[in-house]
Structure formats: C-alpha cells, structure tokens
Amino acid sequence: PHVADGPKLADIGAGAGWFTIHLARRVGPNGVVYSQDVQREMLEASKRRVQREGLQNVQTTRGEGSNPNLPVAGLDAIVVVDAYQEVEDRVTFLQNLARALKPNGLIGVVNWKPGRGGPGPPENARVDKVSVTADVRAARLRIVDEETLPYQYMLVLAK
C-alpha cells in the first residue's frame, strides 16, 4: 500500500509471478521487483509471464534454503505471500531478509490461518501467527502492523 514510483521490492516464493506482475506495474519503470523462488521451474514461469506482460523492471533470483540471494541493504520492501511454511530455518531466513532491507524497509508476511477453512495448504502445513511472532522476535525484528484477512493473516515487520 505504501508503494510509489521507483522503489525496489522483492517477491519471495514468487511462484509463477502473480504478485510479481502486480508489484512491477505498481512500482513503475523506475522501480525494480526481484522475483525470487527456490524452484527453477517457478522462476522460468515467472520470466515467461513478465515477458508476456512486456515488463522491463523485474529481475528473477533463485533462493537457496534460508538464503534469498537478494542485494544487501538495497530493498524498500519484501513480501512473502503464502510461502513462509516452505522455509526450514525461518529465523535465519528472516535475518537474511532483514539484511536485504534499506534502514526503513519493511517485510510483509502473508500466511494461511490455521484450520481447514478456505483455500491453502493442508492444515498440518500451516504456520500460525504465534509461531511467526516467535520467529520475528528471535530474528530481532519487530511487528509494526498486522491485518486479518478472510483466510490469511498479514504481519508487517521492520528492523
């Protein structure tokens, strides 16, 4: 929501690039979106989608484990949408994301609520807000905003 023309953002666990495309349009030609995923096939799908849309402001980057492979201190914001449960070492992952942020940068984590309601992964693959909050504290980050969505919750993190 706080995206103007020219920022640098990252879409972590971008998959086929749905959010990447929307972010790239939003930041405009002077901005940059890093479309990141650990799966090569997903990055290829994201690249094809970006090319079809004719966008020039997207860079794909392959993450490895808890290392997102992002530029250090270069990003205004990072979004992790429906991918947090895929990460094994979540505290290190959050620390690595924080390293990629500019001093006032923000991380948005959108995750499925526990339980069986609505779309999303199986119940046992969901990470509840209490667990994410504990990871945030352990990573020495802080929650600056949160929102409850119909099937998900969103936490906004800062250094």
Side-chain angles (χ1 to χ4, degrees):
H2 307 288
V3 179
D5 192 47
K8 290 186 165 90
L9 310 178
D11 180 9
I12 305 298
W18 191 87
F19 273 104
T20 296
I21 297 299
H22 290 278
L23 292 171
R25 287 188 187 128
R26 189 91 184 253
V27 301
N30 298 327
V32 176
V33 175
Y34 292 87
S35 183
Q36 187 268 12
D37 207 287
V38 295
Q39 297 179 48
R40 192 179 318 276
E41 308 79 39
M42 289 293 134
L43 289 178
E44 292 304 321
S46 183
K47 279 182 191 172
R48 286 191 299 273
R49 192 171 196 163
V50 165
Q51 287 169 344
R52 266 198 318 272
E53 298 287 336
L55 296 164
Q56 306 292 316
N57 60 346
V58 175
Q59 294 182 28
T60 54
T61 180
R62 188 156 181 227
E64 298 171 58
S66 57
N67 180 0
N69 287 327
L70 296 170
V72 174
L75 301 178
D76 296 288
I78 298 170
V79 294
V80 183
V81 179
D82 303 335
Y84 194 79
Q85 72 278 358
E86 306 291 330
V87 180
E88 283 183 41
D89 184 351
R90 296 177 182 135
V91 173
T92 302
F93 173 68
L94 289 172
Q95 290 169 332
N96 287 335
L97 292 181
R99 254 193 286 291
L101 289 177
K102 293 178 181 177
N104 295 322
L106 298 172
I107 300 167
V109 176
V110 177
N111 219 354
W112 299 103
K113 290 180 190 171
R116 293 189 199 129
E123 191 176 355
N124 64 349
R126 298 178 184 213
V127 181
D128 65 13
K129 192 161 59 169
V130 173
S131 299
V132 179
T133 300
D135 295 344
V136 168
R137 282 199 195 103
R140 292 190 157 73
L141 298 172
R142 59 196 171 93
I143 297 172
V144 295
D145 198 5
E146 56 185 281
E147 185 127 355
T148 301
L149 308 166
Y151 301 108
Q152 298 150 301
Y153 58 88
M154 179 179 76
L155 299 175
V156 180
L157 317 177
K159 293 190 205 185

